[in-house]
Each structure stands twice: as structure tokens, then as C-alpha cells.
Amino acid sequence: MDFKRLQILRELADRQSVGATADAMNVTASAVSQQLKTLQAELGVTLVEKAGRGVQLTEAGHAMAAAAAEIATAMARAESTVDSYRKGWQTNVSAAFFPSAAEMLLPGMLHRVAAVEGLGFDAHFEDPGTAHFAPLVADYDIVLAHSVDGPEVFARPGLAVVPLLEEALDVAMPAGHPLASKARLTPEDVVDHPWIGVPEGIPL
């Protein structure tokens, strides 16, 4: 079983298309397709199937992509262990933040990271739609995401999802509004009232 071919499968799971996988690995799309065909032949199971104009992973493909992620993690751990004996403990972590999360968390985080010898930290700003947060793990070690539907929307094989906080929403209304006397509102309280809102999917 060729580890490089497993890496291609893992990238495809993360990036969702042959073209994006090829770009990430600096090879041609035809090379990616050929390596996946070879891997399928080696394993004797179908890993990828056509889906419209593109492809998608089968159940076996997702399972093998998750296994490839575990292998890559073990390899990185082994390399880090060797490096710690050669030049002392060092590691670098890259993280993606959406703007309001960066404003809230980065100052304290950078202060703590600076106190850890050998730890490098790169912060990047990303704010895609909800469905596009999970694919960012192909490029970052940690991705901070937001969703109005809870952390379950990010669940996928090979991805660890850790809920950090639930953000309360403020509701503004005239002082004479029937609900103005309540200290706390539920969705049931406000569902039948007219709203000034934002586009669907924006968590405000």
C-alpha cells in the first residue's frame, strides 16, 4: 500500500474535487486520477465514484481517507520526536479564524503561545459560508468556525469537532413592545413577530 497514494485520497476527501487536489499537490488532474485508480486496484475496493461532473468518495473511500489521516498524524508525530532529539522541541501550528473570533481570542492566545519555547503559531483570517469551513482543515491545523445550527454541521470522517461556546443573541425592540418586559426571550416567544434580519445563514 503506497502512502503517497493514500495522501492523494486524503486530500480528495478534504478538497472535494480532483482539480483542487491536483493543485494542492502540485501535480496534474490526470496524475491524481491515475494514482487513485492504481490504489483501488491495489486494495480491491472502489474508493471513488462519479457524481455529476465530478467524483465523490464511497464509504470505503471515506474509511481509507480517515485511515490515511491517522497514518499522516503518526508520521508527523514520529518526525517531531526525532526533531526534538536533534534540535530541541519545535513545532508550528497554523490556525484559521473568522474576524470576530480573532478579535475575541487571538490577543490572549498569542500571549500564551509566546510563553511556550519552541512553539510557532501562524494566524490566518478566513470567513467562508458554513459549508466551507470543514474543507479548510486541508490547509490549517485548527479552524475556528461558526454555525447557527450547532457543531454537528461540521461532522465528517477524520475531523475532530470541539464546541467552544454558544453565543447569546441580543434582541432590540421598542420599550412599549409586548415582549419588552421579559428578561429573556426564546425562539417560541419571537417566532410570530416581524423581524429586521440578515440573509439566511449569517449568524447575527
Side-chain angles (χ1 to χ4, degrees), residues 31-52:
V32 169
S33 298
Q34 184 58 48
Q35 290 297 315
L36 290 172
K37 288 179 182 178
T38 302
L39 181 60
Q40 289 186 139
E42 287 178 343
L43 300 180
V45 294
T46 301
L47 303 173
V48 179
E49 59 189 6
K50 288 187 176 180

Side-chain angles (χ1 to χ4, degrees), residues 49-61:
E49 59 189 6
K50 288 187 176 180
R53 289 184 160 185
V55 298
Q56 65 183 15
L57 269 63
T58 63
E59 182 179 347

